């Protein structure tokens, strides 16, 4: 039951894409590990930069793959974006968003008014129906002085058959067109979602680990939140980040099963 520095691991916070699954393909070793940890009563939660699904939808996907999960255990960029916006802008603020239904619902539930190129805030999220009109509206609003919020900084996301461009590409496009814009980035590597997940898991920082497949997002976010952060080699190829060293690198989660126990 020893972790990387000899302290017992009693709680788990994990990324989803590239750790539990790639696209719709479950990663067998990870599914097995979480099933065992659930049976042992180990508390766990998930943090994902993906903003195309609600927490309940992510929980349903994990349940279908065999990992018992409730919506309360999933922390994603949609809810984190709405929380951050509520700290900065009053209800009624005009918002133009690129994204999918869960993001629009969260923005409207937070009291904001959806608008066009007269928006005060532009929110950039993942959108499979991204098109030129949406990009033009975002750029025009930014030119008009709107603040820009990016749900997550990822440039690539793993899919069933390779990789897909992610929200970071959209943020890069808007900042290329409007260099004066300094986007506010919500998801990992900011520690906000990890801190919320840690509070939910309820274990202490020293006995909780963050698991992820990306150094620049998962490992940095976990370490900023003050917990040991393990890199697992089941997702995207590792991209080293200067000055950041994962607390441990593991081939797959089966290697970790026996080291994690309930309180
Ligand atoms: Mg990942």
């Amino acid at each position: 039951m020893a972790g990387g520095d000899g302290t017992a691991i009693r709680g788990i916070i994990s990324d989803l894409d590239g750790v539990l699954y790639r696209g719709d393909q479950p990663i067998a070793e990870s599914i097995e590990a979480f099933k065992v940890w659930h049976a042992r009563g180990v508390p766990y939660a998930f943090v994902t930069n993906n903003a195309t699904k609600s927490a309940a939808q992510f929980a349903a996907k994990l349940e279908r793959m065999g990992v018992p999960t409730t919506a309360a255990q999933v922390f994603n960029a949609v809810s984190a974006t709405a929380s951050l916006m509520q700290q900065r802008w009053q209800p009624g603020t005009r918002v133009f968003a690129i994204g999918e239904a869960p993001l629009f619902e969260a923005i409207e539930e937070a009291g904001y008014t959806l608008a066009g190129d007269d928006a005060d805030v532009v929110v950039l999220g993942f959108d499979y129906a991204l098109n030129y009109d949406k990009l033009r509206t975002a750029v025009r609003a930014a030119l008009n002085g709107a603040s820009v919020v990016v749900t997550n900084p990822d440039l690539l996301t793993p899919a069933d058959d390779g990789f897909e461009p992610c929200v970071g590409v959209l943020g890069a496009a808007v900042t290329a067109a409007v260099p004066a814009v300094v986007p506010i980035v919500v998801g990992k590597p900011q520690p906000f979602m990890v801190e919320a997940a840690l509070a939910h898991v309820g274990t202490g920082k020293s006995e909780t680990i963050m698991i992820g497949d990306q150094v620049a997002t998962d490992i940095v976010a976990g370490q900023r939140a003050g917990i040991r952060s393990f890199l697992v080699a089941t997702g995207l190829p590792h991209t080293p980040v200067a000055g950041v060293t994962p607390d441990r690198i593991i081939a797959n989660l089966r290697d970790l099963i026996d080291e994690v126990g309930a309180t």
Side-chain angles (χ1 to χ4, degrees), residues 159-180:
D160 293 348
D161 54 355
F163 299 105
E164 295 176 340
C166 198
V167 181
V169 171
L170 188 50
V174 172
T175 53
V178 193

Side-chain angles (χ1 to χ4, degrees), residues 15 17-18 213 218:
D15 174 45
D17 271 307
D213 68 312
D218 302 314

